[in-house]
Structure formats: C-alpha cells, structure tokens
Amino acid sequence: MDTTNIPEEPSEMTEEMKSWMEKAFQMAQDALDNGEVPVGCLMVHDNQLVGQGRNEVNETKNATRHAEMVAVDQVLDWCRKNDRNSTQVFENTVLYVTVEPCIMCAGALRLLRIPLVVYGCRNERFGGCGSVLNVAGDDISDTGAQFKCISGYNAQKAVEMLKTFYKQENPNAPKSKVRKKE
Amino acid sequence: MAPSADNDAHTSQWSLTPVLSPEEEQELKEYTSGNINPPLCLYFAAPIIDKKQISRLTQILSLQYPLPDCMKHLKRVRAQQTRLEMLLRPASLEEKMTFSKDSGADCTENAGICRSENIRKDDDTSQVPSLTDIFKDGAIDLSGLGDPFVVSVPMRSARNRKEQQVWAGIWPSTYHEKPKTVNLEEASHGGVSDEEKLRIGAHMRRAIEAAQLNQARGGKGIGAVVVDQESGKVLAVGTDRSGEKRELLLHACMVVIDMVARQQGGGAYECLAGLENEQQPKMHSVTKDDEKQIGDEKENRKRTKESSEHCTGELPYLCTGYEVYVTHEPCIMCSMALLHSRVSCVYYGCCSPGGALGTFYRLHCHPGLNHKFLVFRGVMENECKALDVGQEV
Ligand SMILES: [Zn+2]
Ligand SMILES: [Zn+2]
C-alpha cells in the first residue's frame, strides 16, 4: 500500500458510524495484543450491537471462519434469543469492520441482504468489495442483494495492525509461504 | 469406492467439460480447430555474410542487445535455404509506425500476414534503417552482417505442440512443455478415460442421492461430497441447509467444509455434529475395516498437520488434495470458501445463474487470487438438473 497517499476521511460517515468503527478498531487491537488476526467486526441493528466476531480459523480448522461469518452466527443467536425474524434483522443491520470483507464474506453479506458495510482498509489479497472482485456491487443473479460500502475510515491504522501481525507471526517464514488470510 | 454397475448406464449420457480461464479457452479453441494465430511482433534481422563472425556476433548481441525475458524462446540465428540470418533487436514503437505507414498493411503485427515469406521484399529495404542506424546506441563491430530487414516473430513462447509447429514456420523457437492443468488432447476429444468417468460419476451419484434425500425432507436438494484424491476415501457427504431459518449460510459446500474440519478435531457449526454418519446413504454402509482405516487416516493426517503446523506456524489448510463433488455450480460465497480451503478440484453437475466457477465468475482461475484449482462441469448434468432448484448453491 502507498503510505504517502493516506485516503481522506470518508465524508458520508456519521458520528455514530465513527464511534462504532472506533469500537471495531478496539477489537482489532485486542486481537493483535493476543496474537490473533487483527480484524475487528461488529454488526449493529437499530443502534444496538447484535453480533461481533474475530477470526476463528485456527480453533475450528475451518478456513471459512472469518470474523464476519462468526459475527453473522452471533446475530442468528441474538435473533433466536429475542424471538426476532433473522431475515428482517439482517436487512436492517450495518456491518462495521476494520478490513474490507473478502470475496466469500462479501458473498455471504449479499445473501443476507445486509444493506451497508463500513470498513477501514482495502484487502488487496482477497477483497470482495472492489479490491479483487466487486461482489458488493456486481449484478449477480440469485445471490441476494448488492450492498453499499463506505470505506477508508482509519485505513492506515488498519493496515499497520495487519503489518505488525504478519511481521511478528512468522519471522522465519520462507519467501514462498502463503500467509494467513486478511 | 468401486463404481457400481448401475453407473455404467449413465456415463454415456454426460460429458465432463473443463471450466477454463478465457486464455485457456482460446488456446483450446485454436488447438482443436488447428487455426492458430500467433501474436507477432517486429524485429530487425540481417543475413550473415561471413559465417566466421557468427559466434562473435552472437556473443556481442546477447551482451548488448539481449532478448527480453518474454522473447527468450527465440533462437538468435535461423537457417534459410541459401543463407543464415540473425535477429538483431526489436523494432521500437516509432520504428514500427514508420513501417506500417510506408508499406501499408504489408507487415502488420498480430495479423500473421508476413508468415508465408516473412522477409520483406528487396525494394522495401529502402525503408529499413541501415545497420548503423539500428545500432546507433552501441559501438558494435558489424562486419559479417548484410543489409538488415524486418521480420515478424512470435511474441510469446508456444503453449503446446501444435502451436510449436506453427511457431517453427515463423522463426525457430525453443519449446518447453509445461505441466498442463488440463490435458488439451483429452479435452479436445470430449474428456477423460471411461474409468475416470466412472469414478467421478460414482462420487457425484452420492451427492445426488444425498440431495434427493434432503429434498424429500423439504430441503433445496443440493448435495456435496468431499473425496481425498490420494486415497479415494469419501470424507464428507452433505446437503444444503440454508432453508432453515437459523442456518441461512449453510449451503452444501459450507456444510461439507465444516464436516471435514469436524473430522480433524475442529468444526464450527454445532448442528453438523454427528451428521457424518446420518448422511451416508445406506447402500454404502461402512464396514469395520473401513472405519478403522478412516480412523487411522484421520490420526495420520492430524499428526502430519500438527507437526507441519508446529514447524511453520502455517494454517491447517485441511482441504488440500481434496476433491469436491457438488450437484450445482457453487455461488460466490461457496466458491471462495472452497478456495480458502485450498481444494484441488471441483466437479459440478449443472450451472447456476449466479455461479462463480464458470457462469458469473471464474474464481478458480482468477489472476488476482493466490490459489488456483481445477473445475469440471457437466457431471451427470441431467440428474442434477432434475433436482430442479433454481436457488443459490
Ligand atoms: Zn472473509
Ligand atoms: Zn453457496
């Protein structure tokens, strides 16, 4: 990433959105401090936190357990506990995440008809909201609904956290080693 | 698993089609039709008048005007009927412009027009710069070379033997056969051996049976099977569960990925616990021996994964070396889930409108992604279509 070109603060961000993003960054920082992938992810419905997640790929040995997928399952649990219709809840839920969702997660968010995703930095390796593919905006048949993205909030910080993580994670990694996701 | 006799009737009714990248598709099309159009670019060349100078000239040129990496397939010298000729250097963009202006369409790039003679006529030489013009940047002793001319040469190396034959007719080139993701010869004749087709069909049959069972219980009728390529063992048989309110994202592929994780001591979805056995169709009852083997295998894999994890800190990409059979083309979420899981090969029956392995995207060969895998469609296509869903897989 070009560090000389720090993206401007996205203008569409409301104060409320900024405070949720700050919470997401706090989660990412906690993850980093605990040696985990520094991605923070929150799902907010009606100004209420209904799900949050961190990467659980290692624990579950399931490469699809990204923070977003974990957060989605929490929302499903929340719906069950509160006797709410999950389809309706997702259609009115905003996802806040420090890193652009990957292609898989973007597909999942489409299927759930999440209307808006607010994220920090781009995901150059797997990004599904424009970096590698634009799953968010493409006109794909039978695959839920397109969603809107507001990106760039504190992008530099999100990138720095990821860089720190990959540096400390595997100092002796061979050059060809495939890095972890996000 | 040995293919059963009732599969035989079906093998003639479907054909296995590789889902290729646009580049591979073009290559196969040209390969099959024999109508190969090499991309060409213009080079300066000159006849060698004094053969004693060849090695000296070759040495100097390869030092001062080395062939660019993408042109390393070209041989520096070619033998024509009456003389030897030597490649000098590529024509610059401006120089190319001059030729096309002066000589009309006589020597356009990429059109292959120059192929037959591939030497400009003598009266054209007036437009070609002299040797001293061509080498005005470097002080080179040019003795031994005759009047330069312009020649079209293939601007990339040949990808297969048929291409190589065409290349050889233009300018001599070296050719290294690369390991192919798809066997062109097989693909151009409509697929794999009968034996392989039986094997693939037998696994797909299991996915279809699971899908039928799922449909009978009110599900969407989409099934998936994971097979270890090396041992041939079926590791998971699963079906779509996204119709259930609480499992909106549990498409068939997501289900089998988690079933495999569960077998390795992981797993994320509680609702899939203990499902492995339930999903096994009765006709394929697992014997005690099988069970023991599966158990041993699990242990072995666990051990190797654990130790490799220890050494490299690398993620246990548990689907490495696994094949996935799925009745319907996976959606974008599932396709990327398979990519994250590093599967080796995906076979599917019928295409889906929003499918990401050929229909809407070709995720498995996307140039921007770090893992590529093989994809084949059309496996027992009619049986899969009969499951008649029309929903994302
Ligand atoms: Zn993701
Ligand atoms: Zn799917």
Side-chain angles (χ1 to χ4, degrees), chain B residues 206 277 280 282 284-291 294:
Chain B
R206 273 186 106 154
N277 299 329
Q280 306 275 350
K282 287 177 196 73
H284 302 293
S285 58
V286 181
T287 65
K288 278 269 162 335
D289 275 356
D290 282 346
E291 258 169 21
I294 293 171

Side-chain angles (χ1 to χ4, degrees), chain A residues 111, chain B residues 251-254 330-335 392-393:
Chain A
L111 294 167
Chain B
H251 291 183
C253 293
M254 304 301 279
C331 74
I332 183 67
M333 172 186 71
C334 292
S335 302
E392 54 262 6
V393 185

Side-chain angles (χ1 to χ4, degrees), chain B residues 145-157:
Chain B
L145 289 175
D147 284 337
F149 59 95
V150 177
V151 66
S152 292
V153 293
M155 59 194 293
R156 59 163 173 80
S157 57

Side-chain angles (χ1 to χ4, degrees), chain B residues 36-66:
Chain B
I36 292 167
N37 281 310
L40 298 175
C41 65
L42 297 181
Y43 259 72
F44 291 117
I48 297 160
I49 297 166
D50 180 2
K51 287 185 183 173
K52 283 185 209 123
Q53 304 289 336
I54 289 182
S55 67
R56 183 187 63 83
L57 285 164
T58 315
Q59 238 171 14
I60 287 181
L61 284 175
S62 60
L63 262 170
Q64 296 203 21
Y65 293 88

Side-chain angles (χ1 to χ4, degrees), chain B residues 153-382:
Chain B
V153 293
M155 59 194 293
R156 59 163 173 80
S157 57
R159 295 171 297 194
N160 55 60
R161 280 179 195 286
K162 276 194 192 172
E163 280 193 359
Q164 172 59 11
Q165 284 166 11
V166 175
W167 263 229
I170 304 170
W171 189 274
S173 315
T174 51
Y175 165 62
H176 301 290
E177 197 156 24
K178 286 187 209 117
K180 278 266 165 235
T181 49
V182 168
N183 184 324
L184 289 173
E185 199 54 51
E186 270 182 5
S188 63
H189 290 109
V192 298
S193 69
D194 284 351
E195 200 188 354
E196 174 70 350
K197 218 173 154 187
L198 271 177
R199 186 187 75 85
I200 293 165
H203 289 311
M204 185 58 89
R205 172 149 298 281
R206 273 186 106 154
I208 294 170
E209 281 164 0
Q212 285 165 341
L213 204 66
N214 165 264
Q215 205 167 35
R217 292 174 181 163
K220 283 185 181 167
I222 298 162
V225 167
V226 181
V227 175
D228 183 349
Q229 220 160 32
E230 216 175 277
S231 69
K233 273 271 174 334
V234 175
L235 301 170
V237 181
T239 54
D240 179 280
R241 297 168 70 98
S242 65
E244 294 162 43
K245 269 276 172 291
R246 288 202 48 238
E247 319 296 349
L248 298 173
L249 298 180
L250 278 182
H251 291 183
C253 293
M254 304 301 279
V255 169
V256 290
I257 286 171
D258 200 58
M259 286 170 85
V260 170
R262 195 161 286 281
Q263 284 173 34
Q264 315 300 334
Y269 298 100
E270 278 313 310
C271 62
L272 300 180
L275 208 67
E276 291 91 314
N277 299 329
E278 185 214 333
Q279 292 281 356
Q280 306 275 350
K282 287 177 196 73
M283 52 176 285
H284 302 293
S285 58
V286 181
T287 65
K288 278 269 162 335
D289 275 356
D290 282 346
E291 258 169 21
K292 190 182 176 303
Q293 242 179 317
I294 293 171
D296 288 349
E297 226 168 76
K298 259 198 274 184
E299 270 310 302
N300 284 338
R301 183 170 301 112
K302 217 158 123 191
R303 240 172 275 136
T304 45
K305 294 280 177 189
E306 270 166 11
S307 60
S308 74
E309 233 179 297
H310 251 347
C311 300
T312 63
E314 206 165 333
L315 260 187
Y317 285 120
L318 290 188
C319 293
T320 303
Y322 293 175
E323 300 174 325
V324 175
Y325 296 77
V326 54
T327 53
H328 297 72
E329 181 184 357
C331 74
I332 183 67
M333 172 186 71
C334 292
S335 302
M336 192 63 191
L338 294 168
L339 190 142
H340 280 315
S341 306
R342 317 243 151 199
V343 298
S344 302
C345 186
V346 173
Y347 297 92
Y348 65 85
C350 51
C351 298
S352 311
L357 299 183
T359 301
F360 193 86
Y361 297 114
R362 303 188 207 195
L363 201 70
H364 60 292
C365 52
H366 190 283
L369 292 166
N370 61 354
H371 177 68
K372 311 250 186 296
F373 53 93
L374 298 179
V375 172
F376 295 88
R377 61 176 166 83
V379 182
M380 302 184 78
E381 192 172 4
N382 291 334

Side-chain angles (χ1 to χ4, degrees), chain B residues 100-137:
Chain B
S100 52
K101 201 168 65 204
D102 290 351
S103 57
D106 172 42
C107 206
T108 11
E109 280 186 85
N110 291 325
I113 292 170
C114 301
R115 203 190 302 172
S116 50
E117 34 199 310
N118 208 9
I119 298 178
R120 292 169 61 81
K121 294 184 199 86
D122 283 345
D123 54 338
D124 281 345
T125 48
S126 55
Q127 292 143 16
V128 176
S130 65
L131 281 175
T132 38
D133 281 337
I134 291 172
F135 293 114
K136 58 174 174 277
D137 298 339

